[in-house]
Amino acid sequence: MNLSNIVIVLDHPDESRNIGAACRAMANNDISDLRIVGKKENYDLERIYTLAIHAKDIFDNARFYNDINEATADCTISAGTTRRRGKKRGKLLLPEEFAELAGAKTENAKVAIVFGNERAGLSDEQLDMCTLGVCIPSSENFGSLNLSHAVQILCYQMFREEKGNLTGYTPLTLQRLDKTVDCITDNLQKIGFFKMPGREDMENFWRSVLARASLSESEAQYLEKTFTKMSGLAAKNEKSNNDITS
């Protein structure tokens, strides 16, 4: 995925603040090519800047067009976003499915994601100007998404596709986890928590529980320190009791 080749197209957005919020959503995900179907003079610059905050340069560099075909003429794919399904709307991809499809395309070409007007979305005629459709699943009771929220969801999926499988930490391997299990059971054995024949059952128990917990390295170390300190305190208390009684 080459995020510089992702194009965001807003078709006749109603609310200037939504444009600003969309700019911020784009900036959050390293996407900067904004195109608007409509006239620039129809929008309130102050309202746009208020919501865009530090992403106002995205609007400053935005280009304006007469229709979707014109706005996406240099793109190889144009995906129209919609929450409504129907025979005329064809097969609709989920955001993650579209991100996977767009990933390879953006290496050498531009890919557009088209968002309709806040009140009406994209009409069938407007969707016909796109090469495919993308649907963001939402509640049947309240399915309408704010324009900037929809932009955020699609931009985020593009960002994730580009960055790969992001996680906040790397879960421990089973080999590393066994060291933690050994530490726990060694210290429990020191304080007489179980008899020698029961060690295997205890090890299996902790290995199963901790594997499901997907521990990080720092969490494993904290557990090890806790059980080591626990057995140390138990040994210290036992020595103190022996000194008192001797």
Side-chain angles (χ1 to χ4, degrees), residues 10-94:
L10 307 182
D11 189 289
H12 292 98
D14 270 342
E15 176 55 60
S16 297
R17 290 175 299 180
N18 279 335
I19 298 175
C23 290
R24 184 173 182 179
M26 292 170 63
N28 287 154
N29 297 285
D30 292 338
I31 295 171
S32 59
D33 192 342
L34 174 63
R35 304 178 185 186
I36 298 175
V37 177
K39 297 184 181 299
K40 187 173 184 177
E41 56 267 26
N42 290 342
Y43 301 106
D44 186 321
L45 200 60
E46 183 177 351
R47 285 173 174 259
I48 291 172
Y49 284 173
T50 297
L51 269 293
I53 307 181
H54 299 299
K56 64 180 185 179
D57 60 304
I58 291 180
F59 179 78
D60 291 338
N61 294 318
R63 286 169 284 179
F64 291 77
Y65 299 87
N66 294 315
D67 60 32
I68 293 172
N69 283 335
E70 186 181 315
T72 61
D74 62 337
C75 301
T76 57
I77 294 177
S78 57
T81 57
T82 178
R83 68 180 179 86
R84 300 190 299 274
R85 296 181 179 273
K87 291 182 179 180
K88 291 185 178 181
R89 293 180 176 248
K91 179 183 177 181
L92 301 177
L93 299 180
L94 293 172

Side-chain angles (χ1 to χ4, degrees), residues 183-184 187-188 206 223-232:
C183 177
I184 291 173
N187 285 297
L188 287 175
W206 281 105
L223 272 176
E224 291 165 0
K225 289 177 182 178
T226 299
F227 279 87
T228 299
K229 185 174 183 178
M230 180 182 67
S231 67

Side-chain angles (χ1 to χ4, degrees), residues 4-235:
S4 65
N5 277 334
I6 294 294
V7 175
I8 301 299
V9 179
L10 307 182
D11 189 289
H12 292 98
D14 270 342
E15 176 55 60
S16 297
R17 290 175 299 180
N18 279 335
I19 298 175
C23 290
R24 184 173 182 179
M26 292 170 63
N28 287 154
N29 297 285
D30 292 338
I31 295 171
S32 59
D33 192 342
L34 174 63
R35 304 178 185 186
I36 298 175
V37 177
K39 297 184 181 299
K40 187 173 184 177
E41 56 267 26
N42 290 342
Y43 301 106
D44 186 321
L45 200 60
E46 183 177 351
R47 285 173 174 259
I48 291 172
Y49 284 173
T50 297
L51 269 293
I53 307 181
H54 299 299
K56 64 180 185 179
D57 60 304
I58 291 180
F59 179 78
D60 291 338
N61 294 318
R63 286 169 284 179
F64 291 77
Y65 299 87
N66 294 315
D67 60 32
I68 293 172
N69 283 335
E70 186 181 315
T72 61
D74 62 337
C75 301
T76 57
I77 294 177
S78 57
T81 57
T82 178
R83 68 180 179 86
R84 300 190 299 274
R85 296 181 179 273
K87 291 182 179 180
K88 291 185 178 181
R89 293 180 176 248
K91 179 183 177 181
L92 301 177
L93 299 180
L94 293 172
E96 55 269 31
E97 292 173 330
F98 173 68
E100 185 176 355
L101 172 67
K105 299 287 186 182
T106 58
E107 292 304 318
N108 300 304
K110 292 185 178 297
V111 169
I113 310 173
V114 183
F115 299 85
N117 171 273
E118 295 95 319
R119 290 180 292 105
L122 292 174
S123 66
D124 289 340
E125 291 73 23
Q126 289 169 323
L127 273 176
D128 283 342
M129 297 183 192
C130 303
T131 57
L132 56 89
V134 176
C135 181
I136 302 173
S138 57
S139 170
E140 291 184 3
N141 297 319
F142 190 53
S144 179
L145 292 173
N146 177 274
L147 172 60
S148 64
H149 294 174
V151 172
Q152 178 70 267
I153 290 170
L154 265 297
C155 286
Y156 176 69
Q157 286 296 156
M158 302 304 112
F159 183 80
R160 284 297 305 268
E161 184 70 20
E162 196 272 340
K163 297 299 180 182
N165 186 27
L166 298 172
T167 61
Y169 70 98
T170 301
L172 296 184
T173 64
L174 291 176
Q175 183 179 24
R176 171 64 182 86
L177 191 66
D178 284 341
K179 291 178 61 179
T180 300
V181 172
D182 286 342
C183 177
I184 291 173
T185 50
D186 282 347
N187 285 297
L188 287 175
Q189 185 177 331
K190 287 178 184 178
I191 63 174
F193 189 82
F194 58 85
K195 297 180 180 179
M196 275 300 295
R199 176 164 180 140
E200 184 177 353
D201 289 340
M202 182 65 67
E203 287 177 337
N204 290 337
F205 168 79
W206 281 105
R207 194 173 194 265
S208 176
V209 169
L210 297 182
R212 293 197 302 273
S214 297
L215 295 181
S216 67
E217 177 62 34
S218 61
E219 289 170 332
Q221 291 179 11
Y222 190 84
L223 272 176
E224 291 165 0
K225 289 177 182 178
T226 299
F227 279 87
T228 299
K229 185 174 183 178
M230 180 182 67
S231 67
L233 289 172

